[in-house]
Amino acid sequence: MKMVFTEVMGYQEMLRTAFPHDELVMFDGPLSEEELVREAKNARVLSVFIRTRIDEEVIDRLPKLAMINTRSVGFDHIAAGYAVGRGIAVTHVPDYGPHVVAEHVFCLLLACARDLIAADRSVRKEKRFDFEPFMGLELKDKVLGVIGTGKIGAEVVRIAQGFGMTVVAFDIVRNEKLARKYGFSYMSLDEVLDLSDFVTIHVPLTPDTENLIDRDALARMKRGSILINTSRGSIVDEHALREALDMGHLAGAGLDVISDESDPAGDPMVGAEGTIITPHIAFYTRESLSRMFDRSIETIRSFTAGKRINEVPREYMGRARVPAAPHD
Ligand code: NAI
């Protein structure tokens, strides 16, 4: 069976060992649409990561494709609803370690609350050793608003307990067991924004969550609060966020994601004061990658053996366009 893998991150050997009898075509980086169509011609399985976009046109031009697999949790880079409508299985890796992302949330939050990057720069670049410009914010006894209490949000709640924070949360599906375990309350989005000193986003990017944190939502946030986004850039209206930071309404933003990660120079958040941006590294640890590849291999093997696992949740496909005719 022909299988094409993009963004293999040095895992060629593991893939070859996992699929010794298949025809594997592997690429270190992402592929453009034209490259994908050329290289994945006749492929049955296409396994990618977040920088390989698979849109409706690519799907139309790969008529032999039976399965798309992304090694990520998020699958907003794939026209998943369209592919499923064409009879193609779309799978992801729902849990290679939600704590990895949650740990990065606190890395960003602490770095914002203590102005860590600027403080380091002032010592090492400006050769100053003054504490005065860097009065920080404490986490203990502050309110953390968690938007989305799925796998990553739950890990954030767990870690927040250790800092002595009070958690308030918003999710369309309430996890009452989690709320009881950690003693937090679910509220409406507006209430969470009103009450929180820090807000962290953990919902997937779907038609319903695009611009969920819009101008009005940002205006609701407390003056001097901090927003953390490790989910997807387009969940936040970045122009409105930039304004909220420029006007001093928010004290800071810690972002691991921006709306167009292929063109950061054009993004309104790059260059914004009070902002710390990391290039989508929350998932990326020495330990997480092998789990990610393990789960991905398991998913593909299972599919080729006739059993579908780790299919992307259909309820998140929202208003995805349904194709006119199924594949032959
Ligand atoms: P999950 O599926 O376990 O949890 C998502 C939660 O969002 C669920 O509880 C769901 O009910 C809630 N939700 C969905 N739509 C909603 C809406 N319209 N309003 C309110 N709540 C809604 O997902 P998980 O594993 O927690 O991941 C969350 C997101 O984190 C992923 O979709 C991905 O975009 C992002 N991510 C980012 C990474 C990074 O490296 N920066 C790595 C992994 C994931």
Side-chain angles (χ1 to χ4, degrees):
M1 181 183 294
K2 181 171 175 184
M3 301 181 182
V4 173
F5 295 83
T6 71
E7 304 176 77
V8 291
M9 304 178 196
Y11 276 74
Q12 284 87 340
E13 211 36 60
M14 186 177 183
L15 291 169
R16 265 189 219 104
T17 308
F19 303 107
H21 307 298
D22 296 290
E23 180 195 348
L24 303 197
V25 185
M26 296 185 267
F27 299 91
D28 287 329
L31 295 186
S32 69
E33 181 175 323
E34 281 312 313
E35 290 167 332
L36 263 184
V37 168
R38 188 178 63 237
E39 302 295 346
K41 197 165 174 250
N42 299 327
R44 298 285 289 163
V45 172
L46 177 54
S47 176
V48 301
F49 196 58
I50 53 173
R51 288 179 298 167
T52 305
R53 297 202 70 79
I54 305 180
D55 62 16
E56 296 175 3
E57 202 184 326
V58 169
I59 291 164
D60 282 340
R61 293 171 72 193
L62 294 175
K64 300 278 188 246
L65 201 58
M67 182 216 217
I68 299 169
N69 166 250
T70 180
R71 269 160 258 129
S72 52
V73 177
F75 52 90
D76 45 281
H77 51 297
I78 299 168
Y82 190 77
V84 168
R86 285 264 184 204
I88 299 169
V90 182
T91 60
H92 66 151
V93 181
D95 58 348
Y96 53 78
H99 63 279
V100 187
V101 180
E103 286 173 11
H104 194 64
V105 167
F106 284 89
C107 175
L108 287 170
L109 181 49
L110 287 165
C112 286
R114 292 304 181 104
D115 209 0
L116 193 76
I117 308 290
D120 172 79
R121 221 177 273 142
S122 87
V123 178
R124 297 195 298 127
K125 280 229 169 85
E126 297 157 27
K127 315 289 183 226
R128 292 177 58 187
F129 212 89
D130 300 333
F131 56 77
E132 282 90 351
F134 303 112
M135 186 186 282
L137 289 169
E138 298 178 8
L139 269 53
K140 186 168 184 291
D141 296 331
K142 294 283 170 52
V143 178
L144 177 68
V146 180
I147 301 179
T149 54
K151 289 179 284 301
I152 294 170
E155 286 295 300
V156 167
V157 172
R158 176 182 64 77
I159 296 171
Q161 300 294 306
F163 281 101
M165 305 178 89
T166 299
V167 171
V168 292
F170 167 69
D171 197 302
I172 42 167
V173 180
R174 295 181 174 207
N175 183 343
E176 297 298 351
K177 198 170 155 203
L178 188 77
R180 272 196 305 278
K181 181 171 177 188
Y182 291 112
F184 70 86
S185 316
Y186 280 103
M187 299 177 179
S188 69
L189 178 60
D190 282 354
E191 286 169 322
V192 167
L193 297 172
D194 287 345
L195 286 175
S196 300
D197 300 297
F198 311 112
V199 172
T200 181
I201 303 171
H202 303 292
V203 292
L205 174 60
T206 69
D208 292 330
T209 62
E210 190 169 354
N211 271 337
L212 180 73
I213 305 303
D214 59 10
R215 193 172 297 277
D216 291 345
L218 289 163
R220 283 202 90 98
M221 284 178 66
K222 275 187 187 172
R223 192 171 178 80
S225 58
I226 291 174
L227 179 70
I228 305 296
N229 187 9
T230 56
S231 270
R232 288 295 182 264
S234 306
I235 296 170
V236 178
D237 177 342
E238 290 185 329
H239 291 281
L241 176 58
R242 175 75 192 252
E243 272 174 44
L245 288 158
D246 287 350
M247 288 163 57
H249 179 63
L250 294 194
L255 311 174
D256 187 50
V257 287
I258 54 175
S259 58
D260 184 359
E261 296 178 4
S262 64
D263 179 23
D267 193 280
M269 296 316 299
V270 176
E273 287 294 317
T275 305
I276 293 174
I277 308 180
T278 51
H280 208 134
I281 61 171
F283 75 95
Y284 193 55
T285 63
R286 217 171 282 165
E287 298 87 351
S288 65
L289 277 195
S290 61
R291 290 194 297 266
M292 183 186 279
F293 275 86
D294 272 345
R295 306 274 202 285
S296 203
I297 287 167
E298 185 193 358
T299 305
I300 297 170
R301 273 199 184 132
S302 175
F303 179 78
T304 57
K307 188 170 166 237
R308 293 182 178 202
I309 59 169
N310 295 330
E311 287 188 279
V312 299
R314 291 192 182 208
E315 65 267 26
Y316 292 165
M317 291 176 196
R319 300 184 287 274
R321 194 160 74 81
V322 175
H327 263 319
D328 53 12

